[in-house]
Amino acid sequence: MRKLRFFLAAVAAAGIFAVSCQPKNPDNQGGSGGGGNKEDEPTPVVTETDLADITYQVNVYSFADSNSDGWGDIKGVTSHLDYFESLGVSALWLSPIQTSASYHGYDILDYYSINPKLGTEADFKDLIDKAKAKGIDIYMDYVLNHSGRGEWFSNAISSESSPYRSYYVLSSNPTADVAAGKVDNYGGAKTPGMGAWHVAAGGDLGYKGKLHFRLDWAKKTITVTQSTDAVQTSNPSASKWLWIGSVGAVGLYETSTNIFEITIDVNTDWGFLIRTSTTTWDGGTKYGGNGSSITFGTPFPINNTTAADITFGGTSIQYFASFDQSMPDLNYGPYSTASSSAAFKDLAASADKWIQMGVNGLRLDAVLWIYQKQTAANVSFLKQWYDHCNATYKARGGEGNLFMVGEAWADNVDQMAPYYQGLPSNFNFYYYWTLKDRINGGKGNDFASTVISFRNKFRAQRSDFIDAIKLSNHDEDRAGSDLGRNAGKEKLAGAVLLTSPGKPFIYQGEELGYYGTKSNGDEYIRTPIKWTKTGTVPSAALNGKVDNTMLNADISVEAQSGKDDSVLSVYRKFGKARNEYKSLAKGEMTAVTSTNTAVAIWTMSYDGETALVVHNFSPVQVSVTPGLYKLTDLAVSNGTVSVSGSSVTLGGYASAVFIQ
C-alpha cells in the first residue's frame, strides 16, 4: 500500500547520517492523558513511497483519557496521532472497541456498535479520517471464536425456534452429540483442544422467590431451601459469597465453624455460583456444580474445577465455551461451508460496516479455537473469512489487499505455519521467544539464522506471507519483566525488532520500558500510558489495578522525550530509520558470520540497497569484524559504537546499522 513516509534531513559530520527523533517539547498536557498540546516533532521532508509498516497495539481503554472519566477512549487515541508519528508508526491495532461486557472487550455483546465508554461511531470515524491524513491505518480487533452473553446468546437459549439458535454450540446431551459427530466446531475431533460445557441456564432454570442458602465448606456442599424467614442483607465482611443473577456478590454469614448461611429474595433467570473472592476469578476462587440442577433441601456438591452454573431445575440446555463461561463459542457449522452459516453472515456483515467506514485491517483473536485446534478446519474457515472481507475492502476502493493477521498461538512454529494458507499474516510468537532467550543468554550469533528458518517455513505455505513480528502483547508478561527490568536489554530488543524482516508490532508501553506480569491479574500488563511527569493515568477500566511504583515521573513520555538515551528515544530513532531506509523496511535477511558468539549480524537488502545490522546481545563491550562490508555510513545506532578499519566495537547491548 502506498503511503507517505517521513525522511529526516539531519546529516552529521564525516558523512554519517544521524537519525534524531527528539521532540522540541514534551507533551505538556495535564490529567490522565487527554487534551493538551500534542508532541512537537521536527517538520519532516515528505515524499511518496512505502512506509516501514510498523504497527502500534493500543489498549484504547487505558491509552489516553479525553474527558477525565478515568477511561481511555477513542478521542484520546486521536489526540495522540503525533505520538504515533514520532515512532514511525503506519498502523494502529485497537483493542476491541465494540460494546462488550468487560473492560478488555473480548466478550463482545454487539458487533455493530461502539462501546459507549470508549466513544461514538462519529469519534471512530474521526479517528479513521485523521489517522489517514497522517498515513496511519486503523486495524480493528475482531473476536470470531466467541461472543459475550448478550442478546444473541439470551435469545438463542430461550427457544428452539430462536433465529439465533444456530449461532452457538448448544446441546441437551453433549456426550451423545459429540460421539455422534454432531458438534461441528470440534472440527471432526471427539474431544476439544480446550474448553468445557456449561448449563445455559435460560428460561425456567432460574428462580423467583425467597430462598435460604447453607454452605458446608468442610464437605463442599450447599443446601438450598424455600423459605419464609426474613430477608438478610449481604455480609460486608464475608469470606464466602453467592454470585447470583444480576445482583452480583452476596456475602454469607458464618453461623458456626465452616457453615455459612443467608436468606435472600432471589430473582434470576440462570442460577448461582459460590466465590471465595470478589476481585478475581483466577486461582480456583469460583465454585459451582457439574452441569446439573439443585433439588431443594438436598445437599449439592460444589467444586472449583468444572464450576458450572448451579441452576434451580427445568429443562437443561448446555453450551460450549473454549475460554470462560462468559464467552460462549460461536458456531459456524461444518467448516467447509462455514461462510453459508447464519453466524458467519451476521459477523461478516458487521465487519463490512467497519471496513466500509475506512478500517484497513483486522486482527483476529484466538483463531486456533474456532474449530478447536483442527488446523485444516481453521484454515478453511479463515480463508473464507478473509476472502469475504477482502472483497468488501476492494469494493470500497481500497488499495492493494486488506491486511489481516491471526493470533495463531500454537505450541511451535511448525504448527502455526499452515495458518498462512488461510491468512496473509500471523503473529510470530517464536520470534520473540527466540529473541528474549538469546538476549538473556548473551548469545546472538545464531539469531539471524533462526529467524530465517522461521521465514522459510512461512514462505513454503504462502509466497507473499507477512511475518507479524512482536515482543510481548496484552496476554503475555511484559518484555520488560522477561528481560529483567534491564533498560539496556529493553532498548536492544526494540532495536532488534525494528531492524528485523517482517511487519513489527509495538505494544502499548513497550516503548517506555514498561514491565509487569500476569501473576496478579491481566490488568498489570495492560497499564495506561504515563504522559506527563505529574499527571494521572486512566485506570478506571482496570479497577485501579496499576503499578504506581513503575508509573513514576521518569518513565513518562514527557521525561523520556528529553533524554537521548531513553527507551522511547531508541524506539523513535530506529522507527525513523526503518522509514528512511527501504532495505530496513522491506529487506530480506541474510545471516552474516559473527566472530563473537554474543554478536548478531545480518544484512537487509531491497531494491539495490543493503543495510548491515550489528547487535551486541551481551552486557560487555565486544569487537567484531563483519567481513568486507563498509562501516562508513552509520544510519542509526544505540549505545557506544566505534569503528576502526574493518572492525566495529560495540558497548554492552549496543546496536548499529551501516548502509552499504
Side-chain angles (χ1 to χ4, degrees):
M1 189 178 297
R2 306 288 289 179
K3 295 193 182 80
L4 296 178
R5 74 170 179 175
F6 300 92
F7 283 80
L8 296 178
V11 180
I16 297 174
F17 187 91
V19 180
S20 175
C21 303
Q22 295 304 311
K24 296 174 184 175
N25 296 298
D27 181 358
N28 291 318
Q29 67 180 48
S32 55
N37 297 328
K38 297 180 180 179
E39 293 72 11
D40 189 4
E41 286 296 308
T43 302
V45 178
V46 180
T47 187
E48 181 77 12
T49 186
D50 288 324
L51 273 166
D53 228 8
I54 301 169
T55 300
Y56 188 99
Q57 180 188 352
V58 184
N59 293 327
V60 177
Y61 50 81
S62 67
F63 182 73
D65 177 11
S66 70
N67 60 3
S68 301
D69 68 350
W71 277 71
D73 48 43
I74 294 169
K75 284 185 175 180
V77 177
T78 306
S79 71
H80 287 285
L81 289 173
D82 286 353
Y83 180 71
F84 302 121
E85 193 174 51
S86 79
L87 288 162
V89 164
S90 59
L92 304 180
W93 155 25
L94 308 182
S95 60
I97 59 173
Q98 295 115 312
T99 303
S100 59
S102 299
Y103 79 90
H104 52 69
Y106 287 97
D107 46 2
I108 294 174
L109 303 177
D110 181 2
Y111 286 83
Y112 292 86
S113 68
I114 300 296
N115 186 339
K117 280 284 190 181
L118 305 179
T120 65
E121 280 193 28
D123 295 336
F124 187 40
K125 184 64 168 67
D126 185 57
L127 170 60
I128 291 171
D129 292 343
K130 288 180 177 174
K132 180 180 179 182
K134 288 183 174 289
I136 298 174
D137 287 336
I138 299 299
Y139 302 159
M140 290 184 77
D141 204 319
Y142 239 73
V143 187
L144 298 176
N145 178 74
H146 55 268
S147 75
R149 288 179 25 163
E151 281 299 316
W152 282 0
F153 181 75
S154 298
N155 197 297
I157 65 174
S158 68
S159 168
E160 290 186 11
S161 61
S162 166
Y164 300 100
R165 189 74 167 188
S166 68
Y167 281 38
Y168 295 95
V169 185
L170 304 176
S171 174
S172 58
N173 191 338
T175 301
D177 285 346
V178 170
K182 295 180 179 180
V183 180
D184 293 319
N185 84 325
Y186 280 24
K190 295 298 183 183
T191 56
M194 181 174 70
W197 290 89
H198 305 276
V199 175
D204 58 359
L205 291 176
Y207 188 82
K208 184 175 183 179
K210 200 180 297 181
L211 294 176
H212 180 78
F213 295 82
R214 183 180 188 275
L215 173 65
D216 187 326
W217 191 245
K219 295 180 180 178
K220 296 295 187 294
T221 62
I222 188 161
T223 303
V224 184
T225 55
Q226 294 170 308
S227 176
T228 58
D229 293 341
V231 171
Q232 297 172 274
T233 59
S234 175
N235 177 11
S237 303
S239 62
K240 306 291 184 295
W241 292 265
L242 295 175
W243 188 264
I244 186 163
S246 60
V247 176
V250 177
L252 297 167
Y253 293 88
E254 188 167 12
T255 55
S256 58
T257 302
N258 282 325
I259 301 297
F260 302 83
E261 300 181 77
I262 196 168
T263 299
I264 60 173
D265 204 7
V266 172
N267 185 2
T268 177
D269 63 356
W270 63 281
F272 68 96
L273 295 165
I274 306 298
R275 292 180 64 178
T276 58
S277 170
T278 57
T279 60
T280 179
W281 290 91
D282 301 327
T285 62
K286 177 181 66 175
Y287 287 75
N290 59 3
S292 57
S293 299
I294 59 104
T295 299
F296 289 130
T298 301
F300 181 89
I302 62 173
N303 68 83
N304 63 351
T305 53
T306 57
D309 298 340
I310 304 169
T311 54
F312 296 99
T315 303
S316 176
I317 184 73
Q318 297 185 51
Y319 67 95
F320 184 80
S322 294
F323 298 95
D324 187 84
Q325 66 182 24
S326 64
M327 301 174 179
D329 273 26
L330 290 160
N331 176 41
Y332 300 103
Y335 63 83
S336 62
T337 56
S339 59
S340 65
S341 69
F344 186 104
K345 290 178 179 178
D346 214 340
L347 267 292
S350 72
D352 289 346
K353 172 180 176 175
W354 307 117
I355 294 169
Q356 288 161 355
M357 186 181 286
V359 167
N360 284 339
L362 301 179
R363 178 265 184 185
L364 304 185
D365 181 64
V367 298
L368 261 64
W369 305 107
I370 295 170
Y371 283 96
Q372 290 296 302
K373 290 190 80 172
Q374 301 303 304
T375 302
N378 285 327
V379 166
S380 175
F381 171 88
L382 293 169
K383 187 177 187 308
Q384 293 172 69
W385 178 262
Y386 180 74
D387 287 348
H388 173 93
C389 293
N390 196 35
T392 302
Y393 173 78
K394 287 180 177 295
R396 187 196 85 194
E399 296 183 58
N401 293 308
L402 178 76
F403 178 72
M404 193 176 290
V405 59
E407 185 202 21
W409 194 336
D411 295 335
N412 56 62
V413 70
D414 292 308
Q415 292 177 6
M416 185 273 270
Y419 280 79
Y420 274 106
Q421 297 174 24
L423 292 174
S425 185
N426 289 282
F427 283 112
N428 190 343
F429 293 90
Y430 324 98
Y431 170 90
Y432 173 54
W433 298 343
T434 300
L435 179 57
K436 71 178 179 181
D437 175 73
R438 299 303 191 271
I439 292 177
N440 284 332
K443 182 178 185 293
N445 64 327
D446 70 340
F447 178 74
S449 60
T450 303
V451 170
I452 291 168
S453 73
F454 296 157
R455 291 177 63 80
N456 287 339
K457 291 178 186 293
F458 305 152
R459 186 176 290 106
Q461 303 290 336
R462 189 186 195 103
S463 62
D464 60 346
F465 75 99
I466 303 170
D467 187 9
I469 55 175
K470 51 170 277 302
L471 303 184
S472 56
N473 67 19
H474 66 288
D475 281 329
E476 300 173 279
D477 288 350
R478 284 274 187 181
S481 291
D482 288 342
L483 298 173
R485 291 165 57 175
N486 182 305
K489 291 182 177 182
E490 292 166 13
K491 287 185 276 190
L492 171 63
V496 173
L497 177 72
L498 294 172
T499 55
S500 293
K503 181 179 174 69
F505 282 71
I506 299 170
Y507 177 43
Q508 174 180 312
E510 204 162 64
E511 77 282 10
L512 299 172
Y514 277 13
Y515 53 84
T517 68
K518 295 163 59 75
S519 58
N520 292 320
D522 286 343
E523 293 89 345
Y524 290 95
I525 58 172
R526 300 168 180 175
T527 305
I529 292 294
K530 176 79 168 175
W531 290 104
T532 62
K533 293 179 182 179
T534 59
T536 58
V537 298
S539 61
L542 304 175
N543 291 315
K545 294 182 180 180
V546 297
D547 183 352
N548 289 307
T549 302
M550 180 188 72
L551 291 180
N552 55 46
D554 290 339
I555 209 167
S556 68
V557 172
E558 179 184 0
Q560 293 198 41
S561 292
K563 296 178 180 179
D564 288 341
D565 63 346
S566 67
V567 178
L568 176 59
S569 290
V570 170
Y571 271 83
R572 282 174 166 170
K573 286 194 295 184
F574 278 81
K576 291 292 186 181
R578 192 177 180 97
N579 276 285
E580 169 64 15
Y581 294 101
K582 59 188 177 182
S583 52
L584 288 179
K586 302 295 182 184
E588 192 57 50
M589 173 188 268
T590 300
V592 175
T593 301
S594 174
T595 56
N596 188 303
T597 58
V599 180
I601 311 177
W602 63 84
T603 59
M604 297 279 284
S605 299
Y606 181 78
D607 192 27
E609 181 183 279
T610 295
L612 177 70
V613 179
V614 189
H615 296 286
N616 179 8
F617 279 36
S618 78
V620 299
Q621 178 177 291
V622 298
S623 296
V624 291
T625 302
L628 300 177
Y629 295 97
K630 294 189 302 179
L631 302 177
T632 54
D633 296 330
L634 180 62
V636 63
S637 65
N638 168 48
T640 303
V641 177
S642 62
V643 173
S644 177
S646 61
S647 176
V648 57
T649 300
L650 301 110
Y653 303 126
S655 303
V657 177
F658 301 91
I659 300 301
Q660 301 303 293

